[in-house]
Amino acid sequence: MDDPVLLTGAGGRVGQAILRYLGPDFEWRLLDREPLPDRKRPDGVADSDVFNADITDTGAVRAAMDGCGAVIHLAGDPRPEAPWDSVLRNNIDGTRTMFAAAVETGVGKFAFASSNHAVGAYETDTRKPDLYRPDDDYRLDGTELPRPSNLYGVSKAAGETIGRYYHDHHDISVVNVRIGNLTEDHPPVDYERGQAMWLSYRDCAHLFERCLLADYGCETVYGISDNDRKYYSIDRARDVLGYDPQDNSAEWNGDQRTG
Amino acid sequence: MDDPVLLTGAGGRVGQAILRYLGPDFEWRLLDREPLPDRKRPDGVADSDVFNADITDTGAVRAAMDGCGAVIHLAGDPRPEAPWDSVLRNNIDGTRTMFAAAVETGVGKFAFASSNHAVGAYETDTRKPDLYRPDDDYRLDGTELPRPSNLYGVSKAAGETIGRYYHDHHDISVVNVRIGNLTEDHPPVDYERGQAMWLSYRDCAHLFERCLLADYGCETVYGISDNDRKYYSIDRARDVLGYDPQDNSAEWNGDQRTG
């Protein structure tokens, strides 16, 4: 990836995980609705490559994207309990604005931050808590229809479908990453579900690096570490993207790494 | 179904097909954005049961829905080429308004008019035109992920996901009907694709009648007649809803019925 990569929501948790590990490896354009302080920018990113803008602002999005080879689109309302009006505007309309600008400006690859909340209602009372346990073989693999946990999840599922549309009708590769439970340092403690969908910072960065470097058409993959507990398959991410996670929530006991 | 049924988009083509055949069989509430002339109302529907309102108007929708046992939601921008801003507002936001009002007012069943355009991009160049022909066994069955033809199709897929969410989290039965090519009288002439997804008026009315009368949880079915040419399975509609179509586009030759 020689061309610049536009990262939206650069100041958020996922954005910062990506920049911590991949900061020196790509030429970044950073977009965030909030001003991005120096500590949140990798060394060497010029002020002219930092955009303080809303993703529903078509002109600002186009300007930030101009000349980019790829987009990692994380921006949006990240709250599972976000109200409809906010996810309609920020997550659905905003993602559509991003995709439209991407095809207009000739971006080749688009990685979209979807969410486990797009499929949260598969965690039915009859499957819980068994599906969170290492000996349970229930798996979602990305081919299943959405079953959102909440309206935020509805908006993420809609974003995936928008990506599918732009891939099918334009020359752009699209990958939807249904991100699990990203935490800095150790996995969630005393929370089986969180351990089952844990994604470490370095695995997160590596997964998005693969989204930038691999060849694919249109994919929906799960973004979790290689946890013993899991109900999301990472086979597709391994096979198509070359994802090779290094972490496993089972290797932590409380806040100590055991593996 | 003893309680009234709210029909949105009552003046449109699908609404009129339904009312032509089911007019006397249910107690109707009719909602349309355009004033509904007498010729478009079944006999006996009082003025007080006709609502001239936009489905994004929460108050008007609630008033129309109050006391209803079921909703058939057809209203929206029906144009495959509709621009994003219109489908975002009318089809996505409007459908969400409808579902939210339905669970708030205690509606038990909700039939949503989805579209073949939610999955139109499965009709790839390598599958065309074979999939339109009687000897081809390619089938979509409603379990596949959306692949919209256009932004209208994106909006219909989003509506399906909204329905899935409200079903999973509230006590409401939801059926998404991916309507094919509804024509009055004869099937499309010299148009293989249209013949493959033809839905006659009487089969359309019968299918929505089954949506009102059958017991189900959350379903996505295809709305086509029992055509020899088909690439949509109607097995699920038969099995779960008791759909028993009477028409077949192969029984017409030009504008003459041959069967």
Side-chain angles (χ1 to χ4, degrees):
Chain A
M1 183 62 54
D2 294 327
D3 292 325
V5 177
L6 174 63
L7 179 69
T8 73
R13 219 144 39 90
V14 180
Q16 291 295 297
I18 290 170
L19 292 175
R20 180 182 302 179
Y21 287 90
L22 307 183
D25 300 336
F26 297 90
E27 186 182 335
W28 295 102
R29 305 268 184 88
L30 307 177
L31 185 146
D32 204 288
R33 195 164 65 169
E34 304 296 326
L36 207 62
D38 282 345
R39 64 183 166 78
K40 289 196 164 189
R41 308 176 185 190
D43 291 343
V45 174
D47 283 347
S48 57
D49 289 327
V50 177
F51 299 83
N52 185 197
D54 191 294
I55 54 164
T56 60
D57 178 344
T58 304
V61 163
R62 273 196 206 141
M65 214 180 275
D66 185 48
C68 286
V71 170
I72 298 175
H73 174 44
L74 312 173
D77 191 326
R79 297 171 297 162
E81 70 283 6
W84 173 249
D85 286 350
S86 176
V87 297
L88 180 70
R89 172 183 160 81
N90 294 299
N91 299 10
I92 299 179
D93 193 27
T95 296
R96 193 268 164 175
T97 300
M98 289 291 301
F99 271 108
V103 300
E104 282 160 16
T105 59
V107 163
K109 288 178 182 165
F110 194 114
F112 170 61
S114 183
S115 167
N116 64 84
H117 289 284
V119 290
Y122 282 101
E123 299 169 40
T124 57
D125 288 343
T126 55
R127 291 186 182 127
K128 290 191 289 189
D130 289 347
L131 84 166
Y132 306 138
R133 296 185 171 165
D135 55 352
D136 190 86
D137 61 4
Y138 181 78
R139 293 286 183 279
L140 300 176
D141 66 6
T143 62
E144 59 281 330
L145 284 165
R147 286 187 66 174
S149 327
N150 39 50
L151 294 168
Y152 166 77
V154 169
S155 75
K156 289 297 181 180
E160 295 177 1
T161 305
I162 291 167
R164 180 80 234 186
Y165 165 74
Y166 279 98
H167 167 73
D168 278 330
H169 299 273
H170 299 276
D171 186 26
I172 186 169
S173 298
V174 174
V175 56
N176 303 309
V177 182
R178 291 179 178 164
I179 298 172
N181 193 334
L182 179 72
T183 63
E184 199 169 355
D185 305 326
H186 63 78
V189 178
D190 294 334
Y191 179 36
E192 288 186 291
R193 180 174 183 268
Q195 290 165 10
M197 63 163 78
W198 184 52
L199 177 63
S200 71
Y201 264 42
R202 67 173 170 175
D203 285 341
C204 176
H206 163 65
L207 176 54
F208 279 98
E209 182 178 32
R210 296 310 311 159
C211 294
L212 296 175
L213 299 179
D215 288 322
Y216 50 89
C218 187
E219 296 291 334
T220 297
V221 301
Y222 284 97
I224 61 171
S225 289
D226 189 19
N227 307 317
D228 286 356
R229 298 176 187 268
K230 62 165 77 74
Y231 54 100
Y232 298 150
S233 171
I234 55 175
D235 291 352
R236 192 74 188 164
R238 285 188 190 277
D239 294 347
V240 174
L241 302 176
Y243 177 52
D244 183 23
Q246 301 302 304
D247 290 308
N248 177 346
S249 58
E251 292 177 359
W252 294 81
N253 180 3
D255 58 356
Q256 294 294 314
R257 183 186 283 271
T258 63
Chain B
M1 183 60 56
D2 294 329
D3 292 324
V5 176
L6 173 62
L7 179 69
T8 72
R13 219 144 40 89
V14 180
Q16 290 296 296
I18 290 170
L19 292 176
R20 179 182 302 178
Y21 287 90
L22 307 183
D25 300 336
F26 297 91
E27 186 182 335
W28 294 102
R29 305 268 183 88
L30 306 178
L31 185 146
D32 205 287
R33 196 163 64 168
E34 304 296 326
L36 207 62
D38 282 346
R39 64 182 166 79
K40 290 196 163 188
R41 308 176 184 190
D43 291 343
V45 174
D47 283 348
S48 57
D49 289 326
V50 177
F51 299 83
N52 185 196
D54 192 295
I55 54 163
T56 60
D57 178 344
T58 304
V61 163
R62 273 197 205 141
M65 214 178 276
D66 186 47
C68 285
V71 170
I72 297 175
H73 174 44
L74 311 174
D77 190 327
R79 298 171 296 162
E81 71 282 8
W84 173 249
D85 286 351
S86 177
V87 297
L88 180 70
R89 172 183 159 81
N90 294 299
N91 299 11
I92 299 179
D93 194 27
T95 296
R96 192 268 163 174
T97 301
M98 289 290 302
F99 271 109
V103 300
E104 282 161 16
T105 59
V107 163
K109 287 178 182 166
F110 194 114
F112 170 59
S114 183
S115 167
N116 64 84
H117 289 284
V119 290
Y122 281 100
E123 298 168 41
T124 57
D125 288 342
T126 56
R127 290 186 183 127
K128 289 191 288 191
D130 289 347
L131 84 166
Y132 306 138
R133 296 184 172 166
D135 54 352
D136 190 87
D137 61 3
Y138 181 78
R139 293 286 184 278
L140 300 175
D141 67 5
T143 62
E144 59 280 330
L145 283 166
R147 286 187 66 175
S149 325
N150 40 48
L151 293 169
Y152 166 78
V154 169
S155 75
K156 288 297 181 181
E160 294 178 1
T161 305
I162 291 167
R164 179 81 233 187
Y165 165 75
Y166 279 98
H167 167 75
D168 278 330
H169 298 273
H170 298 276
D171 187 26
I172 186 169
S173 297
V174 173
V175 56
N176 302 310
V177 182
R178 291 179 178 165
I179 298 172
N181 192 333
L182 179 72
T183 64
E184 198 168 356
D185 304 327
H186 63 78
V189 178
D190 295 333
Y191 179 37
E192 288 185 290
R193 180 173 183 270
Q195 290 165 10
M197 61 162 80
W198 184 52
L199 177 63
S200 73
Y201 265 42
R202 66 173 170 174
D203 285 340
C204 176
H206 163 65
L207 176 54
F208 279 99
E209 182 178 31
R210 297 310 311 159
C211 294
L212 296 175
L213 300 178
D215 288 322
Y216 49 89
C218 185
E219 296 291 334
T220 297
V221 301
Y222 284 96
I224 62 170
S225 288
D226 189 19
N227 307 317
D228 287 354
R229 299 176 188 266
K230 62 164 78 73
Y231 53 100
Y232 298 151
S233 172
I234 54 174
D235 290 351
R236 191 76 190 164
R238 285 188 191 276
D239 294 347
V240 175
L241 303 177
Y243 177 50
D244 183 24
Q246 302 302 304
D247 290 308
N248 177 347
S249 57
E251 291 176 0
W252 294 80
N253 180 4
D255 59 356
Q256 295 292 315
R257 183 185 284 271
T258 63

